[in-house]
């Protein structure tokens, strides 16, 4: 579980007390004396031969360190010295002078005590965190969350360099060159190309929206996606009604109808309507037949009985019955025609659309001759007696009202008046015009029956957006003018010459009124009936209203659009704008219009470009030291630090709202927000950036080392699937607040169809690009990080496996062990496994280790790498290698034990190295969170992370919460501050 607020407060106070009550800043005399009298002579005697001012082997001169203070100033150098001496690597085995175990212990013990003293007296120091630009990933994620569009503007940027800890989110590595600045400018221009003005403000498409066609496509897709999200399957509502009817027997005796709908992701509003027509009462016609099916549903005997399957099957029968019966009540609507014109003319087609729309929830009784009725409906429901005809008609109307012939129409043919010619020519939201632009909204049943008020407002807004953004009415009217002159010929006479489709003046209100008058006169002269004339009148009235609404709204919405830009700037800056900043943006916008002659839209775009290029957006200025003394982060700075840590992106509205209230820094609120953020889908940013950089697979989607002629199954889909697996696994672990030990020991993973085939998992079924959890992955040799194909493939040369690379990956990336670079002139191992000759890869490595400069490191990594030999160069399971030799996964591990394969590798890690893994995870997590390399003073916080984690099994949430509740995370240094004067600024919490 996460830390409680009480534990956080105790932890915070204990760290602060440790930091603040330190007495004399000077080092204890006994440490200084021990170094001079015991350690320094040992170093001079056994290390100076290689590491003095003249030889400086490995660029290390130990003669520079004459005192403990010298050691502390170069603590990172001495961290390496400590490690090498403790591991017995220094002095090397071939050195002329060797340390005894007792001498080695003296050096290690003193350096460790000096480091501990220095860490404790500076504990809580936030360190030198440099204000920096956003990383490429942070910029992309931030633009996504700022605009709502996943644009990836940095795809042409150079790769960000990593810091010492392996992460690309620190000022140590994220510099800005003139060339990169030019790329930022180009990227920001690309972003503004995605912008559109809307009636309420601004919006961004996922692709450049500089043409009317692009904007049209975006707006149409938004509406269609809204429709597709709606739960309109009738069988689901029949099943939900059965669930509610028997909720007591199904384990939820107090569930309400609305709660059942919410649980099953249905419309509560429509479920109530369906329930009302199913409850027992005297019914006639189709409702009576539907109730008969409803009453045949089984009564569950226990919550997990098979009755649910039977109820689902009957629900689907009820749905089929509704579909087949509903068709009987739909009218047959004839086309309108006009002499000298086309029945495909816009007034004619729109009239027919409206007739169909009028009958969506109405029963057409034009067939109500009793004999005809008997013929048509005998298979669906009983024929009524004459005395029950009125009740029958009422129930038919109720049936049609509850079960419309369509909830919405999302597509029509180009000219649905002539359906035989419409195959393959459907268009989304189309009015059904032939070769003309135009949309028709036909969703009233959905609107009235299913949508709540918020959803209704959203749908209305989307349709207004379509009209406004893509100027649909104007374009539709232009199409009308062109069609009537070029296709139908109705307006070829000279009296219609005053309007032309290419003339903008033609769609002004006076011109539309004038054309309506002339058009109607000809229609009357042609002998058109009143229905046709009404269709013409209504067409001109409605298209005129729509066009004028768009034209007027373009002007009226400009202040709102400028306000939206100011709000956009506030979100980009991650804080409220000052009054001066807001006014400067407004002044700049007006300057662009008045001085530079830009249009309103161009001025809006340039203002947004200015915002995106500002250091307030593309830099982490919240990290900047802005006072002489160290100080706590304010709540807006804390919101940014949290969001960039856990989401690699800007804070959302909830974080900013707590910053505005001023309670984000309070321990209980901080814990609550961390819990929320870890469960949010944006945690994928953390899973990708932290895990991807830590475990070195971040750029695997570009991995091209595999020989695709030899491994034909390794295609782009498989490569992407390999990359996705650890991200899915990590996101799941974060959302479930699993232990970090699950990364090693979990018996589960996630696969899609491509990866399942690669892993030989045959008992799963998939829908399109679906990913599913494999909960018994050990059956297939998988589970946790170790056997994931992405790591096995990344750490292979392409035509063979590499126990060296795979073992190195485990000890360096997972366990945090320092492995020096290989010495020069080491003999190469052939890259192709089939070219090893008579030797196996194991034997080749053994021969390789005979090289004296190789043995020390290879003894620590080769055995671990050999445990992976049951997996081929692209992570496939195997029993023979590419040369046809039997694979052997047995090895002598660094602890002297003989172990075999993946399972026993996990046993070794659990028994011998688990503490190293946990320590490494803590260090990587802390370095990533703080955005800098670790320093000595962080050791106290690392110890707190290990202590708190140990109490609940090292849950990820506990480690994260310990970090974000600590002084280094909650504070920042002052200008020119050093570690020793950090806490002179006082407490970091109230």
């Amino acid at each position: 579980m996460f830390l409680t607020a009480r534990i956080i407060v105790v932890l915070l106070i204990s760290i602060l007390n440790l930091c603040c009550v330190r007495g004399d800043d000077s080092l204890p005399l006994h440490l200084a004396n021990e170094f001079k009298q015991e350690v320094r002579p040992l170093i001079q005697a056994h290390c100076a031969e290689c590491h003095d001012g003249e030889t400086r082997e490995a660029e290390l001169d130990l003669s520079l360190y004459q005192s403990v203070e010298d050691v502390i100033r170069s603590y990172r150098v001495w961290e390496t010295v400590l490690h090498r001496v403790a591991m017995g690597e220094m002095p090397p085995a071939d050195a002329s002078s060797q340390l005894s175990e007792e001498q080695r212990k003296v050096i290690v013990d003193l350096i460790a005590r000096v480091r501990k003293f220095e860490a404790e007296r500076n504990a809580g120091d936030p360190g030198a965190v440099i204000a920096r630009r956003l990383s490429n990933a942070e910029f992309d994620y931030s633009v996504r969350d700022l605009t709502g569009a996943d644009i990836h503007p940095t795809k042409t940027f150079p790769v960000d360099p990593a810091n010492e800890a392996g992460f690309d989110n620190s000022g140590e590595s994220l510099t800005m060159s003139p060339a990169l600045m030019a790329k930022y400018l180009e990227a920001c221009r690309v972003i503004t190309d995605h912008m559109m003005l809307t009636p309420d403000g601004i919006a961004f498409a996922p692709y450049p929206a500089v043409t009317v066609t692009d904007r049209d496509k975006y707006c149409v897709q938004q509406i269609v996606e809204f429709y597709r999200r709606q739960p309109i399957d009738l069988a689901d509502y029949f099943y939900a009604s059965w669930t509610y009817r028997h909720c007591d027997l199904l384990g939820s005796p107090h569930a309400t109808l609305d709660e059942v709908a919410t649980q099953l992701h249905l419309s509560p509003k429509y479920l109530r309507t369906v329930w009302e027509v199913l409850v027992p009462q005297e019914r006639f016609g189709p409702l009576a037949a539907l109730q008969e099916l409803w009453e045949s549903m089984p009564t569950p005997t226990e919550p997990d009985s098979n009755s649910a399957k039977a109820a689902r099957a009957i629900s689907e029968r009820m749905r089929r019955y509704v579909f087949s019966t509903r068709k009987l009540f739909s009218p047959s609507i004839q086309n309108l025609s006009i002499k000298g014109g086309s029945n495909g003319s816009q007034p004619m087609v729109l009239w027919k659309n409206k007739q169909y729309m009028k009958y969506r929830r109405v029963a057409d009784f034009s067939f109500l001759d009793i004999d005809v009725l008997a013929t048509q409906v005998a298979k669906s429901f009983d024929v009524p007696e004459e005395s029950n005809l009125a009740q029958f008609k009422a129930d038919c109307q109720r049936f049609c009202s509850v079960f419309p012939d369509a909830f919405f129409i999302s597509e029509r043919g180009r000219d649905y008046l002539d359906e035989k010619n419409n195959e393959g020519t459907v268009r989304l939201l189309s009015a059904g015009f032939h070769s003309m632009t135009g949309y028709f909204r036909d969703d009233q049943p959905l609107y009235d029956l299913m949508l709540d008020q918020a959803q209704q407002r959203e749908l209305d807004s989307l349709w207004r957006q379509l009209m406004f953004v893509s100027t649909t009415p104007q374009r539709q009217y232009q199409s009308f003018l062109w069609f009537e002159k070029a296709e139908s010929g109705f307006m070829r006479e000279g009296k219609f010459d005053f309007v032309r489709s290419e003339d903008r003046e033609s769609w002004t209100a006076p011109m539309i009124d004038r054309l309506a008058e002339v058009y109607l006169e000809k229609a009357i002269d042609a002998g058109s009936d009143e229905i046709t004339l009404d269709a013409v009148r209504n067409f001109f009235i409605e298209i005129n209203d729509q066009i004028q609404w768009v034209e007027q709204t373009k002007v009226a919405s400009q202040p709102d659009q400028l306000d939206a830009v100011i709000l956009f700037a506030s979100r980009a800056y991650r804080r409220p704008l000052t009054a001066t900043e807001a006014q400067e943006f407004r002044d700049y916008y007006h300057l662009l219009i008045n001085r530079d002659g830009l249009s309103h839209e161009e001025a809006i775009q340039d203002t947004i470009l200015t915002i995106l290029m500002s250091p307030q957006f593309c830099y982490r200025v919240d990290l900047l030291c802005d006072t002489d003394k160290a100080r706590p982060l304010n709540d807006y700075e804390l919101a940014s630090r949290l969001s960039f840590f856990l989401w690699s992106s800007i804070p959302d509205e909830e974080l900013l709202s707590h910053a505005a209230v001023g309670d984000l820094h309070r321990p209980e609120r901080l814990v609550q927000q961390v819990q929320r953020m870890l469960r949010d889908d944006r945690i994928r940013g953390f899973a990708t950036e932290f895990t991807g950089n830590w475990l070195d697979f971040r750029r695997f989607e570009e991995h091209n080392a595999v020989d695709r002629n030899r491994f034909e199954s390794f295609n782009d889909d498989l490569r992407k699937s390999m990359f996705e697996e650890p991200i899915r696994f990590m996101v799941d672990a974060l959302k479930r607040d699993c232990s970090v030990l699950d990364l090693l020991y979990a018996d589960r993973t996630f696969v899609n169809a491509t990866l399942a085939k690669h892993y030989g998992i045959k008992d799963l079924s998939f829908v399109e690009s679906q990913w599913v959890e494999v909960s018994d992955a050990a059956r297939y040799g998988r589970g946790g990080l170790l056997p994931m194909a992405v790591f096995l493939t990344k750490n292979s040369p392409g035509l063979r496996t590499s126990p060296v690379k795979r073992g190195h990956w485990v000890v360096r990336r997972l366990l945090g062990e320092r492995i020096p670079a290989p010495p020069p002139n080491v003999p190469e191992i052939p890259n192709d496994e089939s070219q090893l000759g008579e030797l196996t890869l194991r034997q080749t490595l053994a021969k390789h280790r005979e090289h004296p400069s190789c043995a020390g490191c290879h003894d620590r990594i080769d055995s671990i790498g050999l445990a992976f030999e049951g997996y081929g160069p692209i992570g496939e399971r195997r029993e023979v290698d590419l040369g046809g030799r039997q694979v052997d996964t047995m090895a002598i591990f660094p602890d002297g034990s003989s172990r075999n394969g993946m399972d026993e590798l996990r046993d070794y890690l659990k028994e011998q190295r688990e503490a190293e893994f946990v320590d490494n995870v803590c260090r990587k997590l802390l370095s990533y969170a703080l955005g800098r390399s670790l320093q000595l003073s962080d050791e106290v916080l690392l110890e707190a992370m290990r202590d708190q984690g140990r109490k609940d099994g090292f849950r990820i949430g506990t480690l994260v919460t310990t970090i974000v509740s600590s002084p280094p995370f909650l504070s920042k240094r002052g200008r020119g501050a050093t570690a020793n004067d950090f806490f002179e600024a006082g407490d970091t919490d109230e």
Side-chain angles (χ1 to χ4, degrees):
M1 298 297 292
F2 287 95
L3 292 177
T4 65
R6 184 181 183 86
I7 293 175
I8 293 172
V9 172
V10 170
L11 173 63
L12 199 58
I13 292 173
S14 64
I15 294 177
L16 289 171
N17 286 341
L18 181 61
C19 300
C20 297
V21 185
R22 64 173 188 259
D24 186 3
D25 281 348
S26 60
L27 280 163
L29 187 59
H30 69 279
L31 290 178
N33 289 337
E34 284 183 51
F35 181 81
K36 288 182 178 179
Q37 296 171 11
E38 299 183 29
V39 173
R40 182 66 200 156
L42 290 175
I43 291 173
Q44 186 64 36
H46 300 282
C47 305
E49 180 182 352
C50 298
H51 299 291
D52 61 7
E54 293 183 5
T55 55
R56 290 175 52 83
E57 188 169 319
E59 298 299 316
L60 177 61
D61 178 8
L62 292 178
S63 67
L64 299 175
Y65 305 102
Q66 299 295 322
S67 67
V68 170
E69 286 80 4
D70 294 336
V71 171
I72 290 173
R73 277 192 292 272
S74 299
Y75 66 90
R76 287 180 180 164
V77 172
W78 281 85
E79 187 175 8
T80 302
V81 172
L82 174 65
H83 175 78
R84 300 292 298 276
V85 172
M87 295 295 294
E89 298 171 359
M90 195 171 118
D94 57 353
S96 60
S97 176
Q98 292 292 328
L99 290 165
S100 68
E101 285 302 312
E102 184 61 31
Q103 290 172 329
R104 193 178 300 275
K105 184 176 182 302
V106 167
I107 295 174
V108 169
D109 178 67
L110 179 65
I111 296 175
R113 282 187 289 131
V114 168
R115 287 170 57 83
K116 184 174 186 296
F117 172 83
E118 183 65 14
E120 289 179 350
R121 75 167 174 170
N122 293 307
D125 175 17
V129 181
I130 306 169
R132 60 168 177 83
R133 66 172 173 88
L134 300 184
S135 70
N136 294 348
E138 289 172 336
F139 193 82
D140 282 347
Y141 293 136
S142 296
V143 168
R144 177 202 64 192
D145 293 342
L146 184 60
T147 65
D150 204 2
I151 297 172
H152 293 286
T154 70
K155 52 181 170 285
T156 64
F157 285 23
V159 176
D160 283 329
N163 67 357
E164 181 182 296
F167 299 114
D168 59 7
N169 69 338
S170 76
E172 301 164 49
S173 55
L174 293 175
T175 58
M176 179 75 84
S177 67
L180 187 57
M181 177 66 77
K183 283 190 170 291
Y184 264 89
L185 180 58
E186 180 182 350
C188 291
R189 283 181 175 144
V190 168
I191 296 167
T192 61
D193 283 344
H194 290 244
M195 189 216 75
M196 299 172 298
L197 301 178
T198 71
D200 307 312
I202 58 176
F204 292 83
Y207 41 77
V210 294
T211 68
V212 171
T213 303
D214 294 329
R215 298 179 179 196
D216 188 297
K217 175 184 174 183
Y218 169 77
C219 295
V220 168
Q221 199 59 47
Q222 292 283 99
I223 296 172
V224 172
E225 287 176 0
F226 179 94
Y227 287 155
R228 289 173 179 166
R229 289 197 302 268
Q230 306 314 310
I232 61 172
D233 189 335
L234 296 179
D236 291 339
Y237 288 91
F238 297 138
Y239 180 79
S241 298
W242 174 82
T243 301
Y244 174 67
R245 187 182 197 182
H246 301 293
C247 60
D248 54 338
L249 298 175
L250 293 171
S252 302
H254 304 296
T256 66
L257 202 57
D258 284 7
E259 288 170 345
V260 170
T262 301
Q263 182 181 6
L264 297 176
H265 307 291
L266 302 176
S267 163
K269 181 179 177 180
Y270 188 57
L271 181 57
R272 291 193 295 270
T273 302
V274 172
W275 172 258
E276 288 171 3
V277 300
L278 293 178
V279 292
Q281 54 185 294
E282 188 177 13
R283 294 290 193 185
F284 294 86
L287 285 182
L290 193 63
Q291 281 187 338
E292 185 177 341
L293 283 170
W294 161 252
E295 292 298 335
S296 72
M297 283 189 166
T299 299
T301 55
E302 55 186 38
D304 59 349
S305 70
N306 290 326
S307 57
K309 291 182 180 178
R312 171 59 72 177
I314 295 174
S315 296
E316 292 171 358
R317 282 180 58 196
M318 293 171 70
R319 177 185 59 200
R320 290 194 295 272
Y321 170 78
V322 169
F323 283 168
S324 61
T325 304
R326 185 62 183 78
K327 295 176 183 177
L328 301 176
F329 298 98
S330 296
S332 176
I333 299 171
Q334 301 302 312
N335 297 332
L336 281 187
S337 61
I338 187 168
K339 187 177 179 181
S342 167
N343 59 6
S345 178
Q346 287 191 21
M348 311 300 112
V349 175
L350 291 171
W351 174 86
K352 191 170 185 179
N353 286 339
K354 292 173 185 175
Q355 302 314 300
Y356 279 118
M357 187 172 69
K358 184 170 71 174
Y359 282 96
R360 294 276 174 238
R361 296 181 60 193
V362 175
D364 175 30
F365 288 109
S366 60
F367 62 83
L368 252 184
D369 178 287
I370 197 67
D371 294 327
V372 175
L373 177 64
T375 302
Q376 288 186 303
V377 304
K379 294 181 180 179
S380 298
F381 46 81
D382 293 336
V383 179
E385 297 290 339
E386 192 68 34
S387 60
N388 292 326
L389 191 56
Q391 184 62 48
F392 165 78
K393 290 180 68 175
D395 279 3
C396 286
Q397 289 288 6
R398 179 65 172 155
F399 173 80
C400 291
S401 177
V402 173
F403 305 111
D405 63 353
F407 284 101
F408 56 84
I409 301 297
S410 62
E411 56 188 40
R412 284 188 181 87
R414 292 182 62 185
D415 181 6
Y416 80 99
L417 299 174
D418 188 8
E419 294 183 359
K420 65 179 179 294
N421 293 326
N422 282 324
E423 293 183 10
T425 59
V426 295
R427 289 191 287 187
L428 295 175
L429 307 184
S430 170
F433 302 141
H434 175 68
S435 299
M436 287 183 283
T437 298
Y439 299 104
F440 185 80
R441 180 175 178 179
D442 191 350
D443 57 21
Q444 204 63 42
L446 176 74
Y447 193 89
D448 292 337
L449 289 171
M450 285 198 176
L451 304 185
D452 59 29
Q453 290 183 352
Q455 290 171 317
Q456 289 174 345
R457 287 193 296 271
E458 180 182 356
L459 184 55
D460 288 339
S461 176
L462 290 174
W463 273 97
R464 287 196 302 271
Q465 178 176 272
L466 172 61
M467 290 176 60
F468 181 91
V469 170
S470 61
T471 58
T472 301
Q474 290 90 326
R475 292 162 54 228
Q476 178 179 325
Y477 189 63
Q478 283 181 294
S479 294
F480 166 75
L481 296 178
W482 169 84
F483 182 84
E484 294 299 310
K485 290 190 175 189
E487 289 279 333
S488 122
F490 191 79
M491 288 172 43
R492 284 180 184 166
E493 299 170 57
K495 61 182 177 180
F496 293 102
D497 287 348
F498 67 93
V499 289
R500 292 177 300 172
S501 61
E502 66 272 18
D503 187 356
R504 183 181 179 87
E505 187 71 17
S506 295
W507 66 69
T508 61
M511 293 290 276
I512 294 174
D513 290 341
R514 181 181 171 189
L515 179 60
E517 184 179 345
V518 177
Y519 196 100
L520 272 168
E521 285 177 358
K522 182 171 181 179
I524 292 170
D525 292 343
S528 302
D529 59 26
E530 195 57 35
I531 293 177
T532 303
L533 295 176
D534 280 345
V536 171
R537 291 188 191 99
N538 289 334
F539 166 75
F540 280 105
I541 291 171
E542 291 169 3
I543 199 70
N544 195 8
D545 287 345
Q546 292 170 8
I547 290 173
Q548 302 321 313
W549 177 84
V550 172
E551 294 298 314
Q552 293 162 12
T553 306
K554 279 185 179 180
V555 177
S557 62
Q558 289 184 4
D560 292 334
Q561 289 156 356
L562 184 54
D563 287 344
V565 172
I566 303 303
L567 180 60
F568 179 90
S570 179
R571 289 278 288 116
Y573 286 13
R574 285 94 75 179
R575 58 169 175 77
L577 300 184
T578 65
T580 300
E581 287 172 328
Q583 189 57 49
E584 285 174 349
F585 284 124
R586 294 183 188 278
D587 291 344
Y588 180 66
Y589 159 81
H590 289 295
L591 183 68
L592 292 172
I593 291 176
N594 299 326
R595 186 194 68 184
D596 299 341
L598 271 59
S599 68
H600 165 70
E601 182 168 356
E602 291 169 336
I604 290 288
Q605 287 179 318
D606 272 21
T607 306
I608 289 175
L609 179 66
T610 301
I611 293 166
L612 295 173
M613 285 299 296
S614 168
Q616 298 288 338
F617 172 64
C618 60
Y619 267 74
R620 288 289 306 279
V621 293
D622 54 290
L623 305 175
L624 190 66
C625 296
D626 55 1
T627 58
D628 292 332
K629 296 290 187 178
R631 69 166 177 84
L633 300 178
N634 65 45
D635 278 19
Y636 286 106
E637 292 168 336
L638 180 55
S640 283
R641 194 159 210 184
L642 278 173
S643 65
F644 279 107
F645 170 30
L646 295 178
W647 293 341
S648 296
S649 184
I650 59 176
D652 66 350
E653 292 295 339
E654 184 166 341
L655 274 175
L656 292 174
S657 67
H658 285 296
V661 172
D663 69 353
L664 186 58
H665 68 285
R666 298 182 185 277
E668 65 278 6
R669 180 65 67 201
L670 201 54
V671 172
Q672 180 259 328
Q673 285 300 301
V674 167
Q675 292 174 336
R676 178 185 71 88
M677 294 175 74
L678 288 172
R679 292 191 297 267
D680 191 281
D681 288 343
R682 280 166 288 194
I683 200 64
R684 180 183 169 89
F686 176 89
T688 304
E689 303 311 319
F690 169 73
T691 316
N693 283 295
W694 166 37
L695 299 179
D696 193 29
F697 70 94
R698 181 64 185 88
R699 304 191 65 80
F700 184 78
E701 288 175 301
E702 302 164 12
H703 184 73
N704 286 315
V706 175
D707 187 327
R708 296 199 181 194
N709 292 322
R710 184 76 64 89
F711 299 99
E712 294 181 359
S713 65
F714 188 82
N715 54 28
D716 290 346
D717 286 342
L718 180 57
R719 182 173 60 182
K720 290 177 182 177
S721 300
M722 288 180 176
F723 174 77
E724 185 72 14
E725 182 186 8
I727 295 174
R728 296 258 176 176
F729 182 86
M730 191 66 178
V731 167
D732 177 71
L734 290 160
K735 288 187 173 183
R736 289 165 51 179
D737 191 22
C738 295
S739 168
V740 296
L741 299 176
D742 272 14
L743 304 181
L744 293 181
Y745 310 138
D747 184 21
R748 68 179 189 280
T749 192
F750 291 82
V751 298
N752 61 359
T754 301
L755 201 57
K757 180 180 179 181
H758 185 64
Y759 285 170
I761 303 174
K762 300 178 180 179
D763 52 352
L764 294 175
S765 58
F766 299 87
V767 178
E768 296 179 354
S769 58
Q770 179 188 17
W771 283 76
V772 299
E773 180 178 358
V774 183
S775 57
D776 56 346
R779 289 174 51 198
Y780 312 101
R782 310 294 167 176
L785 295 175
L786 290 171
M788 288 186 180
V790 65
F791 306 122
L792 299 169
T793 305
K794 177 74 167 58
N795 294 294
S796 297
L799 284 170
R800 65 169 172 84
T801 61
S802 175
V804 175
K805 287 186 175 182
R806 290 174 174 180
H808 181 266
W809 178 80
V810 172
V811 299
R812 179 171 176 239
R813 296 286 176 173
L814 293 179
L815 304 180
E817 191 173 336
R818 295 170 180 81
I819 303 293
N825 303 320
V826 175
E828 291 283 338
I829 296 176
N831 282 331
D832 190 338
E833 198 168 67
S834 64
Q835 303 300 315
L836 293 176
E838 297 181 359
L839 296 178
T840 64
L841 185 57
R842 169 191 297 272
Q843 292 167 335
T844 303
L845 286 174
K847 198 170 183 63
H848 192 70
R849 286 196 299 274
E850 293 174 1
H851 195 289
S853 61
C854 299
C857 292
H858 281 276
D859 286 343
R860 289 150 53 194
I861 61 180
D862 287 7
S863 56
I864 292 175
L866 287 168
F868 292 98
E869 279 297 276
Y871 301 89
I874 58 171
E876 76 282 14
R877 295 183 75 183
R878 65 177 189 171
E879 294 182 357
V880 295
D881 66 18
L882 296 180
R885 296 171 287 268
Q886 195 72 23
V887 167
D888 183 2
T889 59
M890 183 72 72
I892 304 299
F893 276 60
D895 65 342
S897 63
S898 177
R899 300 180 188 259
N900 189 10
M902 180 62 60
D903 290 340
E904 295 190 10
L905 169 60
R906 286 196 187 94
D907 292 342
Y908 164 74
L909 295 174
K910 188 175 183 63
E911 295 165 10
Q912 303 292 332
R913 315 287 295 267
E914 188 173 275
E916 292 176 62
F917 172 73
V918 170
D919 180 69
N920 186 47
V921 172
C922 290
R923 290 179 181 278
K924 295 296 183 182
L925 196 59
L926 181 57
S927 179
Y928 183 79
L930 297 179
R932 61 167 170 79
S933 297
L934 298 185
Q935 56 192 30
L936 268 180
S937 60
D938 297 322
E939 293 297 327
V940 173
L941 177 52
L942 287 165
E943 187 60 35
M945 291 173 67
R946 292 188 289 266
D947 287 346
Q948 291 298 331
R950 199 173 292 114
K951 294 175 183 177
D952 70 352
F954 298 106
R955 292 188 179 275
I956 300 172
T958 298
L959 301 181
V960 169
T961 307
T962 306
I963 290 172
V964 303
S965 305
S966 68
F969 192 88
L970 294 171
S971 312
K972 61 182 175 180
R973 275 186 180 180
R975 299 188 190 96
T978 63
N980 288 334
D981 63 12
F982 170 62
F983 276 101
E984 293 173 8
D987 209 341
T988 62
D989 204 339
E990 50 182 27

